[in-house]
Amino acid sequence: MTGVTGLMALNPGLQVTPLNFRGWLRNSFNQYIKEQGQPGVVALLFVTPPYINAIGRKKLEKMLTDAAQKHKSWLRAINIMNTPKAMTDEEVEQMLEEMLREAAEREAASRVEAHLGYVRSVSDEPDATPVCLIRQAREKDLEVLHKSHVQFQVGDWYVMGEIDGRQGLSQPLKSLEEAQEYAGDFFCAKHFAVTEVVTV
């Protein structure tokens, strides 16, 4: 058994036979409770298809369901991870770290810096509503931006906001300064605040 924060890795490997799996699973959970026992944990069971077949899929799923119910105060879920071969704890640890790294990269890629344009200073009017948003185009934005029938390139700046009750989009702009000038001319934005937005 090995673990990364928020995850519990269950790895019978070559040491635990299908016949001994139930007892090993019970002992693994009891050991985890003694050593860590933090709430909201997701357990990942690393097993090969032949190992699953040796236990019986329905029997295995029943054991995992019962275990999840018994430990529901701290265990959020148990997921089966099919592996092509039995893995060592070190290999499982590396796989977990890679999974977490990829998840962190996806999250980071979904967060982008944006500049909100205001007619009045936010310091003077904390509840002010932004009149436009300024962002720099990324590869994943191009398909949506091209629906405006304007050809954007990665790195172009653009301004979005409401004009006469309709959503307006600027032409491609070459710099933040140019975008802010556009925002001032078309949306009367004179003050700007940097924020972070999450995109999909």
Side-chain angles (χ1 to χ4, degrees):
M1 181 182 67
T2 183
V4 174
T5 302
L7 295 176
M8 176 185 182
L10 296 166
N11 180 36
L14 294 172
Q15 292 74 36
V16 182
T17 66
L19 185 63
N20 297 327
F21 178 80
R22 186 189 296 272
W24 171 83
L25 183 68
R26 180 176 59 251
N27 292 337
S28 295
F29 282 131
N30 290 338
Q31 180 183 345
Y32 189 85
I33 292 171
K34 290 180 181 179
E35 294 179 354
Q36 301 187 48
Q38 61 180 343
V41 171
V42 174
L44 304 178
L45 174 63
F46 293 82
V47 284
T48 63
Y51 195 95
I52 295 174
N53 292 335
I55 297 176
R57 176 167 286 277
K58 289 186 177 180
K59 184 177 179 180
L60 175 61
E61 290 176 349
K62 177 68 164 54
M63 281 191 274
L64 298 182
T65 299
D66 291 345
Q69 181 64 27
K70 180 179 179 180
H71 299 286
K72 63 181 180 180
S73 62
W74 61 272
L75 184 61
R76 198 168 69 200
I78 306 175
N79 296 330
I80 297 175
M81 308 293 289
N82 283 305
T83 61
K85 66 178 184 67
M87 303 176 69
T88 65
D89 284 349
E90 290 74 19
E91 289 173 329
V92 168
E93 193 80 29
Q94 290 175 1
M95 181 179 290
L96 285 176
E97 290 175 354
E98 180 68 16
M99 290 168 58
L100 292 175
R101 184 186 64 78
E102 291 177 354
E105 288 177 352
R106 287 195 298 271
E107 181 179 357
S110 70
R111 296 180 178 275
V112 296
E113 185 177 272
H115 299 255
L116 301 178
Y118 296 86
V119 175
R120 298 179 183 83
S121 172
V122 177
S123 59
D124 296 334
E125 192 175 331
D127 296 330
T129 300
V131 293
C132 63
L133 177 145
I134 301 173
R135 272 181 48 190
Q136 199 167 18
R138 303 168 302 160
E139 182 72 36
K140 63 192 304 183
D141 300 324
L142 296 184
E143 182 178 353
V144 174
L145 291 172
H146 287 167
K147 290 180 180 179
S148 67
H149 305 294
V150 178
Q151 293 301 306
F152 283 83
Q153 296 180 354
V154 174
D156 285 342
W157 290 85
Y158 62 92
V159 185
M160 295 179 63
E162 192 173 281
I163 302 177
D164 297 330
R166 300 177 61 183
Q167 195 69 20
L169 175 67
S170 72
Q171 75 273 17
L173 303 165
K174 296 306 179 184
S175 67
L176 174 60
E177 291 73 19
E178 188 178 351
Q180 289 177 334
E181 183 177 346
Y182 182 99
D185 291 341
F186 286 87
F187 299 99
C188 300
K190 302 301 180 185
H191 304 272
F192 300 92
V194 180
T195 187
E196 191 177 68
V197 296
V198 178
T199 63
V200 294

